[in-house]
Amino acid sequence: MLGRVAGGLYLRVWVGGGLNDETEHFCDCLRVGAAHSPAISHERSRQTIAMMDQSRTALRLPPLG
């Protein structure tokens, strides 16, 4: 785990998997003030979230939030 400060926010970076690349890209978008990712469409993000929700349901994990 590494900590870094970017744009006034403290970010904890987890090494070893997960959505690290996606999180880094999201933070890059925030830093430059982008409202949308030039690489990942909003629809693609919605599809990914739906897939993750379906996986959580199939694994009988509690809902997030």
Side-chain angles (χ1 to χ4, degrees):
M1 289 176 263
L2 304 171
R4 64 182 168 150
V5 176
L9 298 174
Y10 181 79
L11 303 174
R12 182 163 232 124
V13 180
W14 300 93
V15 178
L19 298 170
N20 292 339
D21 294 333
E22 291 83 351
T23 302
E24 183 175 349
H25 177 67
F26 173 75
C27 291
D28 290 341
C29 290
L30 286 179
R31 277 188 218 102
V32 299
H36 302 282
S37 165
I40 304 167
S41 70
H42 183 69
E43 182 57 29
R44 180 61 165 194
S45 293
R46 291 173 51 87
Q47 291 169 349
T48 301
I49 292 167
M51 180 184 65
M52 293 172 71
D53 287 344
Q54 290 169 359
S55 298
R56 290 185 67 77
T57 298
L59 294 169
R60 297 181 181 173
L61 298 172
L64 296 175

